[in-house]
Amino acid sequence: VSAPVIVGRRVLYTPPEENVLLGLDLVTGAPRWQLPRENGQYLAAALADQVLIVETSRVAAYSLAEGKPLWN
């Protein structure tokens, strides 16, 4: 769980009551994508087009626009 982070037109949010990372639209607040945090420990960084998540045994990158996996 981490504080909401604004990057470009996205708000990245990890609600404490759920085990997910949400990518919300900055203007409308509408969910644009959702990632399970099964092994995710915390949001490490949010760059211009990537979200980096530190997991138990790896670091993974996801697309900021769509939440799709990029690398791990």
Side-chain angles (χ1 to χ4, degrees), residues 5-67:
V5 175
I6 297 173
V7 183
R9 295 184 50 87
R10 291 288 178 261
V11 177
L12 305 175
Y13 178 57
T14 53
E17 66 279 357
E18 297 181 42
N19 202 21
V20 297
L21 169 63
L22 299 173
L24 307 173
D25 183 276
L26 177 63
V27 176
T28 66
R32 294 297 176 206
W33 51 260
Q34 177 175 308
L35 297 173
R37 288 190 307 142
E38 297 166 3
N39 294 319
Q41 299 300 310
Y42 61 90
L43 173 65
L47 311 171
D49 61 349
Q50 296 181 28
V51 178
L52 302 179
I53 304 293
V54 173
E55 298 180 354
T56 304
S57 59
R58 67 182 185 148
V59 175
Y62 298 90
S63 161
L64 181 62
E66 301 172 344

